Amino acid sequence: MPPFLVSQARRFRRHGGEEMTAQERESLLERIAAHAEDVPEIQTALTACRAVGPENGGHGEGAKAGLIEKWLRDMGISGIEHVDAPDGRVPGGKRPNLIATIPGRSSRSLWLFAHMDVVPEGDPALWNTDPWKVTRKGDMLYGRGVEDNQQGLTSMLLLARALTEAGATPELTVKLVFMSDEECGNTKGLGYMLGTRPELFPKNDLYIVPDGGSPDGSLIEVAEKSIFWMKVTVSGVQCHASTPQKGVNALVGAADVLLALTGLAKDFSQSNPLFDPPKNTFVPTRHLENVAGVNILPGKDVFFMDCRLLPGLSPDDVIRRARERAGVAGGRRGVKVDIEQAMLTPASETSPDVPCAMALSRALRETGLEPKPVGIGGGTVAALLRARGIPAVVWSTILECCHEPNEHSSIQSTVRDAQVFLRVAADAEAAR
């Protein structure tokens, strides 16, 4: 356990309900900055836990959650609630989800979310360092999970430490959420928490998800495209490749259908400058193996398309048009085409004028940044919150190298993000 956290129980004190002054806030900001050198220690301990989900061959987040909870309790935080999801595939039979509370002067809360699970390292040969042992190179830390999502998680711990160590009471109550299962669907993580304990998440609170952002920290994500996967099955007639006249080649038919489906971009040519790219995208991706031998003309071929749709475009309209296009192309080749929905995460939006976005914008302007609301084509747990009418935003200062070999994150960005969270927690206007 990092020794800087062990010592917190000895120094913990609280000033009751006294209002935080500007001087106290500046002292807290300096306190966070003074502990920049603790970031590598925290990241090293978190990375060593290998919190890979069972879908990816791992044992889940149990060890990591236990470490985080002990750190929080050693800081003096007793308000920790478990909303654990049952899962017989992992040791202990559950996927941990923790909510730690640091009381503020207001009943209104600032919620910060970090997921504990990470993806596997991929091909170890592509890494220049051991992915499960953090390596420091100047301001950068290298290792699996150091950006996704341990940078945000570490910033949250730095915030908690500063508040408890100083015995400070922020304007907003601070709620720190440490979740499981973000990388594989959220059914055992925030999705489970929202489904079983929705009363825990008031709609008038402030919600920030530090699991996306930009290298300079100026972008506030307020919208996400829907993620819509289509499975396309093309059926012909299998035969020996030496007598192709006896069959109907499903692979050739699939090629024609695939090209026809790329034309969906012309059918749905809407544009929204909030996003980059500002349009709907339709990308053929995965292709399943069709036959086992080169001398077999395939009678069945299956591929997938990844579609990212702007808010306002119905997936039903897309799949309807896709079937029309596929039917014409399939008819040319004499094949039957079936298109079905393989996965759908609906689009989500938060107004840039909600209290959370406004408070975050004020905090960023204090650091010299001019905030800019944006939309993304990827997905975060903010979509789950928005689906329930909770106006969440996504923000952090990241290099956007998650899931890559040689994943890395900045120590100074981790510290600055914790300071921004402190500025929001101390925002008296947001607390009203």
Side-chain angles (χ1 to χ4, degrees), residues 87-109:
D87 192 340
R89 300 171 298 171
V90 299
K94 61 184 179 181
R95 307 289 290 280
N97 298 293
L98 313 176
I99 303 175
T101 300
I102 301 173
R105 297 184 65 249
S106 171
S107 60
R108 202 174 201 183
S109 296

Side-chain angles (χ1 to χ4, degrees), residues 65-220:
L67 185 64
I68 293 168
E69 183 169 2
K70 181 161 180 50
W71 288 347
L72 294 169
R73 292 194 184 279
D74 285 343
M75 290 180 198
I77 298 174
S78 58
I80 300 176
E81 184 168 2
H82 278 259
V83 188
D84 299 337
D87 192 340
R89 300 171 298 171
V90 299
K94 61 184 179 181
R95 307 289 290 280
N97 298 293
L98 313 176
I99 303 175
T101 300
I102 301 173
R105 297 184 65 249
S106 171
S107 60
R108 202 174 201 183
S109 296
L110 166 64
W111 292 76
L112 299 171
F113 297 80
H115 63 85
M116 298 179 288
D117 59 322
V118 301
V119 295
E121 72 273 27
D123 184 355
L126 298 178
W127 285 79
N128 298 327
T129 62
D130 185 335
W132 301 110
K133 293 182 179 179
V134 169
T135 300
R136 180 175 182 174
K137 297 180 181 180
D139 181 54
M140 294 297 165
L141 301 177
Y142 290 78
R144 176 52 84 221
V146 295
E147 181 179 79
D148 186 22
N149 188 209
Q150 288 171 197
Q151 178 176 321
L153 197 160
T154 301
S155 295
M156 290 160 56
L157 291 174
L158 291 179
L159 171 66
R161 184 210 180 178
L163 290 171
T164 55
E165 185 180 49
T169 302
E171 295 298 317
L172 292 161
T173 293
V174 175
K175 298 275 190 176
L176 306 176
V177 184
F178 303 92
M179 312 167 292
S180 291
D181 193 36
E182 190 273 346
E183 298 291 0
C184 295
N186 295 298
T187 59
K188 305 296 183 181
L190 184 57
Y192 179 83
M193 299 172 76
L194 289 168
T196 58
R197 299 292 306 279
E199 74 281 0
L200 293 175
F201 305 92
K203 293 182 180 179
N204 66 338
D205 281 352
L206 284 70
Y207 293 84
I208 300 177
V209 179
D211 194 20
S214 58
D216 70 349
S218 65
L219 303 185
I220 301 175

Side-chain angles (χ1 to χ4, degrees), residues 93-417:
K94 61 184 179 181
R95 307 289 290 280
N97 298 293
L98 313 176
I99 303 175
T101 300
I102 301 173
R105 297 184 65 249
S106 171
S107 60
R108 202 174 201 183
S109 296
L110 166 64
W111 292 76
L112 299 171
F113 297 80
H115 63 85
M116 298 179 288
D117 59 322
V118 301
V119 295
E121 72 273 27
D123 184 355
L126 298 178
W127 285 79
N128 298 327
T129 62
D130 185 335
W132 301 110
K133 293 182 179 179
V134 169
T135 300
R136 180 175 182 174
K137 297 180 181 180
D139 181 54
M140 294 297 165
L141 301 177
Y142 290 78
R144 176 52 84 221
V146 295
E147 181 179 79
D148 186 22
N149 188 209
Q150 288 171 197
Q151 178 176 321
L153 197 160
T154 301
S155 295
M156 290 160 56
L157 291 174
L158 291 179
L159 171 66
R161 184 210 180 178
L163 290 171
T164 55
E165 185 180 49
T169 302
E171 295 298 317
L172 292 161
T173 293
V174 175
K175 298 275 190 176
L176 306 176
V177 184
F178 303 92
M179 312 167 292
S180 291
D181 193 36
E182 190 273 346
E183 298 291 0
C184 295
N186 295 298
T187 59
K188 305 296 183 181
L190 184 57
Y192 179 83
M193 299 172 76
L194 289 168
T196 58
R197 299 292 306 279
E199 74 281 0
L200 293 175
F201 305 92
K203 293 182 180 179
N204 66 338
D205 281 352
L206 284 70
Y207 293 84
I208 300 177
V209 179
D211 194 20
S214 58
D216 70 349
S218 65
L219 303 185
I220 301 175
E221 188 257 275
V222 296
E224 297 175 14
K225 295 179 181 179
S226 62
I227 306 173
F228 176 43
W229 294 349
M230 291 192 299
K231 179 181 180 182
V232 183
T233 302
V234 179
S235 301
V237 178
Q238 181 178 310
C239 68
H240 197 286
S242 68
T243 56
Q245 73 279 8
K246 294 183 178 180
V248 178
N249 195 319
L251 175 58
V252 172
D256 207 355
V257 170
L258 185 153
L259 291 174
L261 292 181
T262 61
L264 290 169
K266 297 179 180 179
D267 298 331
F268 303 100
S269 58
Q270 300 95 325
S271 180
N272 186 332
L274 194 65
F275 294 87
D276 181 21
K279 58 186 179 181
N280 302 299
T281 58
F282 305 90
V283 181
T285 54
R286 188 183 180 194
H287 181 265
L288 303 186
E289 182 179 3
N290 45 31
V291 291
V294 177
N295 59 348
I296 304 172
L297 182 148
K300 181 179 179 180
D301 202 76
V302 179
F303 68 91
F304 292 80
M305 292 195 72
D306 181 303
C307 310
R308 306 294 169 119
L309 312 180
L310 294 169
L313 177 56
S314 168
D316 291 339
D317 292 339
V318 172
I319 203 167
R320 186 180 305 111
R321 180 57 180 150
R323 286 169 177 159
E324 292 173 356
R325 280 185 165 272
V328 173
R332 289 196 297 264
R333 298 293 181 177
V335 295
K336 179 178 179 294
V337 184
D338 292 308
I339 299 179
E340 58 186 301
Q341 175 182 302
M343 193 275 288
L344 172 64
T345 301
S348 66
E349 292 183 274
T350 293
S351 169
D353 298 326
V354 299
C356 183
M358 298 298 287
L360 180 55
S361 295
R362 287 192 292 271
L364 293 178
R365 289 190 179 100
E366 288 180 9
T367 69
L369 292 172
E370 183 55 37
K372 178 183 177 182
V374 298
I376 65 170
T380 71
V381 297
L384 300 178
L385 295 166
R386 293 167 184 155
R388 292 180 174 267
I390 297 171
V393 302
V394 179
W395 175 85
S396 61
T397 308
I398 60 169
L399 300 168
E400 300 180 291
C401 57
C402 63
H403 296 204
E404 297 179 7
N406 304 306
E407 179 182 353
H408 53 285
S409 72
S410 163
I411 297 170
Q412 288 303 316
S413 291
T414 304
V415 171
R416 286 194 297 268
D417 286 5

